[in-house]
Amino acid sequence: MRDPLTGIGNRSALHQDVLAKRHQTLGLILVDIDFFKQYNDACGHPQGDTLLRQLATLIGETLEEAKLYRLGGDEFAALLDCPDIATLKRYCHQLMDGLREADFPHPAHPDKKGVTLSVGGSCFVADEATFPYAYEAADKALYRVKNDGA
Ligand SMILES: Nc1nc2c(ncn2[C@@H]2O[C@H](COP(=O)(O)OP(=O)(O)OP(=O)(O)O)[C@@H](O)[C@H]2O)c(=O)[nH]1
């Protein structure tokens, strides 16, 4: 249940890990690369693959406590123990700080920035019934950020 490109877990692994942590309070952080299509078009698909691997490493290094997953395409997830929203926010800031420090170039970024990520998260008590809602909340938060151009 690993993603062959990055070696981290895949979507099924995320579901399995949530169920294994039933009744625990968890944070789910979803991460999506901005303008990845343009990155591939400008740098080539193999370099796009390299960026995906580099980001998997970066997310792992900046969120040491988390388990990581590639959900498909340019989407990643991190799952970690998280007692409250303040902790979740701290983790999200930690990730964005790590990305700024890494300063990956993106030659076709429309805002002439390096690689940027959209990040959204939610806290939930793990259960098969709560997970879909937690996922939807994190996904909505991510797309609010993406649409704001943050
Ligand atoms: N290099 C590489 N590219 C991939 C892989 N899987 C998906 N993609 C590419 O990821 C891109 C995702 O495109 P979109 O979903 O439009 O995402 P985006 O360009 O980041 O758009 P925004 O998120 O709205 O900024 C597509 O061009 C896919 O071809 C992969 O394994 N390797």
Side-chain angles (χ1 to χ4, degrees):
M1 294 206 304
R2 300 217 154 261
D3 166 50
L5 181 72
T6 58
I8 61 178
N10 63 12
R11 194 179 280 270
S12 304
L14 170 61
H15 278 95
Q16 206 173 62
D17 288 349
V18 167
L19 294 186
K21 287 180 171 272
R22 199 180 263 119
H23 306 316
Q24 296 179 38
T25 306
L26 302 179
L28 174 70
I29 297 176
L30 299 181
V31 178
D32 185 283
I33 308 173
D34 299 326
F35 309 111
F36 188 50
K37 183 181 181 311
Q38 289 88 330
Y39 185 92
N40 271 327
D41 291 347
C43 304
H45 209 266
Q47 180 59 35
D49 285 356
T50 299
L51 179 66
L52 290 169
R53 285 194 213 95
Q54 287 175 319
L55 285 171
T57 302
L58 177 86
I59 300 167
E61 284 173 359
T62 51
L63 300 177
E64 277 177 337
E65 306 84 344
K67 284 196 85 170
L68 301 189
Y69 311 88
R70 181 171 172 226
L71 304 180
D74 60 351
E75 273 182 67
F76 295 90
L79 188 69
L80 67 189
D81 294 334
C82 185
D84 50 39
I85 293 285
T87 309
L88 183 74
K89 282 189 178 164
R90 188 164 53 72
Y91 284 132
C92 290
H93 284 295
Q94 218 169 285
L95 175 57
M96 300 314 283
D97 289 346
L99 179 72
R100 257 191 301 277
E101 243 169 68
D103 198 19
F104 296 121
H106 186 323
H109 197 292
D111 303 325
K112 308 229 180 312
K113 293 180 178 172
V115 170
T116 56
L117 302 175
S118 295
V119 174
S122 66
C123 275
F124 67 113
V125 178
D127 195 277
E128 60 263 47
T130 53
F131 180 60
Y133 294 103
Y135 188 93
E136 194 184 337
D139 204 40
K140 278 191 176 153
L142 185 155
Y143 279 97
R144 269 198 304 276
V145 171
K146 196 172 280 284
N147 293 331
D148 286 351

